[in-house]
Amino acid sequence: MKRIITIVGARPQFVKAATLSREFIRAGIDEKIVHTGQHFDANMSDVFFTEMEIPQPAYQLDINGVGHGAMTGRMLEGIEKILLTEKPEGVLVFGDTNSTLAGALAAAKLHIPVIHVEAGLRSFNMQMPEEINRILTDRISSLLCCPTDAALKNLAAEGFDNLPVQIVKNGDVMQDAALYYARKASEKATVLNHLPVKRFVLATVHRQENTDDPVHLKGIVEGLNAIHREVPVVLPLHPRTRNILQQSGLTIDFITIDPVGYFDMISLLQNCQLVVTDSGGVQKEAFFFQKQCITLREQTEWVELVEHGFNRLTGSNPNLIQESFFQMMNQQSDFSVNLYGNGEAARKAVSEILKY
Ligand code: UDP
């Protein structure tokens, strides 16, 4: 394949797309980016294109602020029109958002091969919109690029070995991004200058199962308040979480800041004592930057982090969050195990795309 349409829309996809776009240019592949508009604020979108030098999108669909059904439906319609005009040889989608599913579905219905980067991941929790997006996207993809052995196993268990599709383990493109941009971040990041504290725990919260459930949200806020009494907690606020917290009436003792760009995020990860998150990507980034991680969920797709003791699942239980904090602050881990490849994941994916 030499002509690719890439679909992005949400923050983690910009980080992943940055690694592939660089390799596409190197390989002489003609890539056009479609931005669905799922995330649109300057600090949730533009900053990533600028800092990570991602080619500007050829198409902006500007679809946001509506429910899952309307969002996915409008994206499907918008992407189909673009694919009919552009007639690409393949459509590349990342991860597990509504943009991922809409891109895959639009392409598959037009018999255009779908390349799914971050294929095979499962949380086994069908209440998560992301799990539905992952399963459906994998099933209609032609080239499935898996980051981990667990992802390969999941696909095998679902009978993918009997399907006429190509499955490869290429490693984790977020590891590529962390390695590549860490050098630039050390020169460009400024966030630490603006923090009122030097020693801190980094937290992020944005999963719908946490923000939209008042019991979960209360438990997490109590847990973070408890940690904050020991070590200050710094939380860059996702817009969804900001809106819900404002209406919740909950008392927040910890430090909240606006969402930060990728360079600043790397700096926060490098300099924190520990990470507390419900993000998929940030769990791995904690490991890349050799930090222990508390995950505010009942399950994770990144099971190898839990198996190796780098990550603990606490859900939203404030006592468990606090207890895990004390245990993990005193825990020494050897982070030298290679779980996600050595920064070659995008290159491997592109070499498979060229062969396809
Ligand atoms: N991120 C960032 N600034 C922030 C919060 C997150 O640059 O204020 C980055 C983070 O380092 C990771 C990506 O955004 O690379 C993860 O996105 P998010 O947590 O929104 O999504 P998920 O990984 O859960 O799908």
Side-chain angles (χ1 to χ4, degrees), residues 77-122:
E77 201 177 345
I79 294 168
E80 182 178 59
K81 275 194 198 127
I82 296 167
L83 298 184
L84 286 168
T85 313
E86 292 284 345
K87 300 189 175 46
E89 292 174 305
V91 169
L92 169 62
V93 295
F94 296 100
D96 53 24
T97 70
N98 292 338
S99 305
T100 315
L101 177 60
L105 197 48
K109 292 265 179 126
L110 294 172
H111 309 297
I112 301 169
V114 176
I115 306 141
H116 187 200
V117 167
E118 268 199 3
L121 297 171
R122 300 288 182 264

Side-chain angles (χ1 to χ4, degrees), residues 11-12 15 48 174 206-207 236 259-262 265 279-282 285:
R11 179 168 64 186
V15 175
F48 294 89
M174 290 188 88
H206 73 90
R207 283 259 99 70
V260 294
Y262 191 60
M265 190 64 183
S279 158
V282 176
E285 289 169 335

Side-chain angles (χ1 to χ4, degrees), residues 24-99:
F24 282 147
I25 292 168
R26 204 196 297 260
I29 291 180
D30 171 18
E31 179 196 36
K32 286 203 173 97
I33 295 179
V34 176
H35 188 326
T36 63
Q38 202 174 334
H39 285 161
F40 55 90
D41 291 338
N43 57 12
M44 294 292 289
S45 175
D46 299 355
V47 64
F48 294 89
F49 283 85
T50 313
E51 285 186 346
M52 304 182 90
E53 298 176 84
I54 305 168
Q56 280 306 307
Y59 296 91
Q60 294 269 10
L61 294 180
D62 207 15
I63 300 166
N64 47 64
V66 288
H68 282 280
M71 191 190 288
T72 313
R74 285 184 206 172
M75 287 176 182
L76 184 58
E77 201 177 345
I79 294 168
E80 182 178 59
K81 275 194 198 127
I82 296 167
L83 298 184
L84 286 168
T85 313
E86 292 284 345
K87 300 189 175 46
E89 292 174 305
V91 169
L92 169 62
V93 295
F94 296 100
D96 53 24
T97 70
N98 292 338
S99 305

